[in-house]
Structure formats: C-alpha cells, structure tokens
Amino acid sequence: MSSRRRVKTWYKIVASDIFEGEELGETPADSDEKVVGRTIEVTLRDITGNFDHENYKLWFKIHKVEDKTAYGHFIRERISRDYLRSLVRKRTSRIDAWVESKTKDGKTIRYFSVIITAVRVGTNVAKQIRKACMNYLSEIIPELTLKEVVRSSILDDPINLREEIKLRVKKYAPISHVEPLKIELMSE
C-alpha cells in the first residue's frame, strides 16, 4: 500500500431534470473533476419507492458538482429484459415501433415502443399497428418536453401515453400490453 494514496470522498448524486431533486445514489471519487461525466443506472423503484416500477431502468449522466453533490441529467430509459420476456407468450405477437423526433424543448429523442397483442397477428396487421403507433408518436412527441415524454411513458403523468397508443391500435387487434421499450436522448 502506498503512503501517497488519495482519500476518496462520497458524492451524493441528485437528478436535475426528469425527477428534479430526487436522490439517485452515491459515488466515491478523489476530486470533483473525476465525478463529472460518470453515468449512473437506477431503477424507477429506487426513485419512487413503488415496487411496480422495478421494471424500468433509468440512466443519468453527471454534468456538474457543487459541495459534494453531483447533478445528473436523464440520458436513457429501458424496460428490463426479464419483464419483456414475461410479456411475450405463446399465441401472442410482439410488435416494435420506433420514432426519432424533437421534443418541445428542442431535444432529439429516439422512442422505441413495444406492443404485445392478445392473439397472434399476421404481418399486414402488424404493419398497420406499427404505422398507427409511429404516426401517433410522431404527432405527440413534438408537443411535449423531454420531462413530459418520459413521465408520460412510465408514470402516466401528464398524459397516459401507453393507454393512448393502445386506444389507437386496438381497432386492428386486441392489445395486451403497450410499454416504452427504450427512450434515448440523442442530442440536447
């Protein structure tokens, strides 16, 4: 062991945008500069305390440090693989749809949605469902800020985005689940 070993201190990590002021965790470092740029992964359950939110993983990137408190902004969301696997069953279909769009606050995001039907559907029906979902997402994302898109997708606040997609595609086939597979921040 070296006698020149630097002592590391713990930095509290706080969300600065989507879940403003919520504590995300802690990280050790020996200087403020080494904390900036780190990425932290948390489940939504860690933030809300609600066990129903265990399936959503969120990534935050630390962009500034003040008084041993690091502030992270949202960069990505994804549902857990085991939850997604549990949704897809025999005699159902999984339909993926994605759209890249600018939010109201000028941030470019890529939104991936997964739709699980209650019955197996053919390719033509799957194409119609995918197209209807993509059209709706292309219309609604430019009307919302990044915060509203993420909160609407996973917390149904201010709008229930999953239910709105379900309403628009259920005329093609009975729908079992609609989930935000992934939301990625492409540019700020």
Side-chain angles (χ1 to χ4, degrees):
M1 296 220 353
S2 172
S3 61
R4 297 181 198 180
R5 189 170 153 188
R6 293 181 118 187
V7 177
K8 293 185 179 184
T9 57
W10 286 88
Y11 290 80
K12 183 171 82 168
I13 303 170
V14 177
S16 64
D17 52 5
I18 308 296
F19 300 98
E20 198 168 332
E22 292 290 329
E23 189 172 337
L24 303 174
E26 293 181 325
T27 187
D30 55 10
S31 71
D32 292 356
E33 297 83 35
K34 290 185 179 177
V35 177
V36 175
R38 288 186 185 180
T39 302
I40 182 171
E41 175 186 340
V42 295
T43 63
L44 184 59
R45 177 181 169 223
D46 296 337
I47 298 170
T48 62
N50 185 346
F51 190 75
D52 294 338
H53 298 150
E54 182 70 29
N55 304 318
Y56 300 100
K57 293 181 183 177
L58 304 166
W59 283 264
F60 292 85
K61 188 169 190 170
I62 297 171
H63 60 93
K64 73 175 181 177
V65 177
E66 291 175 358
D67 301 326
K68 304 295 180 214
T69 302
Y71 296 92
H73 62 85
F74 172 84
I75 56 168
R76 198 169 140 209
E77 176 273 337
R78 184 170 175 81
I79 61 172
S80 63
R81 288 173 178 252
D82 54 339
Y83 175 62
L84 182 59
R85 255 185 265 119
S86 75
L87 296 178
V88 183
R89 306 238 179 223
K90 283 185 182 178
R91 294 180 288 281
T92 64
S93 293
R94 171 186 166 170
I95 303 164
D96 292 333
W98 70 275
V99 66
E100 188 169 317
S101 183
K102 265 195 187 306
T103 60
K104 191 176 178 180
D105 52 354
K107 297 180 179 179
T108 304
I109 63 166
R110 202 172 275 163
Y111 188 103
F112 295 83
S113 186
V114 63
I115 302 160
I116 310 296
T117 60
V119 295
R120 169 104 31 219
V121 296
T123 27
N124 287 336
V125 174
K127 283 180 186 177
Q128 290 176 322
I129 291 172
R130 187 177 300 109
K131 185 177 179 182
C133 177
M134 290 170 69
N135 287 341
Y136 175 68
L137 290 172
S138 296
E139 291 171 14
I140 196 71
I141 290 175
E143 297 174 9
L144 301 171
T145 63
L146 175 65
K147 181 177 183 174
E148 291 170 339
V149 170
V150 174
R151 291 184 72 88
S152 295
S153 299
I154 56 181
L155 296 175
D156 305 329
D157 169 48
I159 61 171
N160 189 339
L161 202 53
R162 294 178 288 183
E163 194 60 37
E164 289 294 324
I165 293 171
K166 198 177 208 179
L167 287 173
R168 290 190 171 50
V169 300
K170 73 178 185 181
K171 61 185 170 188
Y172 303 110
I175 304 299
S176 167
H177 288 86
V178 176
E179 292 288 344
L181 178 64
K182 190 172 21 172
I183 302 170
E184 290 181 338
L185 180 61
M186 303 307 289
S187 69
E188 296 206 23

